[in-house]
């Protein structure tokens, strides 16, 4: 399956609700930021997940995540979540993701490798990715 391996970036602002008592982003919220990144990568490549579910009875479920925390993000930080697909075959899509501080140096805060499985939406059983699932980016 052919797909675009370039990075897709989205901005994320750290809100008070994202932080712990010390004003540091709670570790689980990096997963939320990365979920947004994966969703926007799919959207940029012509995959609307709601339409996928309604029209093809398909959805994605995260199967595996390996995340490395490097530096903390803090309340009111401006972040960039970068996402790209490194492999897509069978029923799996492999994503590489980075969360960086939105600054001149783009300090790396966290990185992850994630594997999402293509599933039937009604029974949550693995199924092959549709052959021409990804289109070229629209921008």
């Amino acid at each position: 399956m052919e797909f675009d391996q370039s990075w897709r970036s989205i901005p994320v602002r750290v809100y008070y609700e994202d932080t712990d008592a010390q004003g540091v982003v709670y570790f689980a919220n990096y997963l939320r930021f990365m979920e947004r990144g994966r969703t926007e990568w799919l959207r940029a490549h012509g995959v609307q997940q709601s339409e996928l579910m309604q029209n093809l009875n398909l959805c994605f479920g995260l199967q595996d995540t390996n995340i490395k925390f490097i530096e903390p993000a803090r309340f009111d930080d401006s972040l960039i979540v970068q996402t790209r697909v490194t492999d897509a075959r069978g029923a799996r899509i492999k994503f590489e993701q980075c969360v960086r501080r939105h600054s001149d140096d783009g300090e790396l805060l966290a990185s992850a490798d994630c594997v999402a499985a293509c599933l039937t939406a009604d029974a949550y059983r693995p199924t092959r990715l549709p052959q021409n699932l990804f289109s070229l980016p629209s921008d």
Side-chain angles (χ1 to χ4, degrees), residues 40-55:
E40 293 303 326
W41 189 96
L42 289 167
R43 183 174 284 130
H45 291 80
V47 179
Q48 300 294 328
Q49 292 187 75
S50 58
E51 291 176 14
L52 197 63
M53 190 179 301
Q54 288 178 336
N55 299 337

Side-chain angles (χ1 to χ4, degrees), residues 23-50:
V24 172
V25 170
Y26 181 66
F27 77 95
N29 287 327
Y30 288 93
L31 295 171
R32 293 176 56 219
F33 300 157
M34 290 177 181
E35 176 69 28
R36 293 178 204 169
R38 290 189 302 277
T39 297
E40 293 303 326
W41 189 96
L42 289 167
R43 183 174 284 130
H45 291 80
V47 179
Q48 300 294 328
Q49 292 187 75
S50 58

Side-chain angles (χ1 to χ4, degrees), residues 6 10 13 15 21 33 38 62 66-68 71 76 78-79 82-83 87-88 94-95 98 101 103 108 128-129 133:
S6 62
I10 64 164
R13 174 71 67 180
Y15 295 113
F33 300 157
R38 290 189 302 277
L62 203 56
N66 182 8
I67 189 166
K68 183 176 182 181
E71 291 291 331
D76 210 31
S78 177
L79 309 177
Q82 297 175 302
T83 304
D87 193 24
K94 294 182 182 180
F95 292 92
C98 296
R101 200 172 318 277
S103 61
L108 182 62
R128 293 184 77 73
L129 294 162
L133 182 62

Side-chain angles (χ1 to χ4, degrees), residues 1-8 38 41-42 45 64 66 82-90 92-98 111-116 129 134:
M1 176 177 295
E2 288 191 37
F3 53 89
D4 176 16
Q5 289 189 320
S6 62
W7 291 97
R8 179 86 180 161
R38 290 189 302 277
W41 189 96
L42 289 167
H45 291 80
D64 184 44
N66 182 8
Q82 297 175 302
T83 304
R84 70 177 176 174
V85 167
T86 59
D87 193 24
R89 67 177 114 174
R92 299 197 285 170
I93 304 174
K94 294 182 182 180
F95 292 92
E96 182 179 355
Q97 296 188 274
C98 296
S111 63
D113 293 311
C114 304
V115 177
L129 294 162
F134 306 122

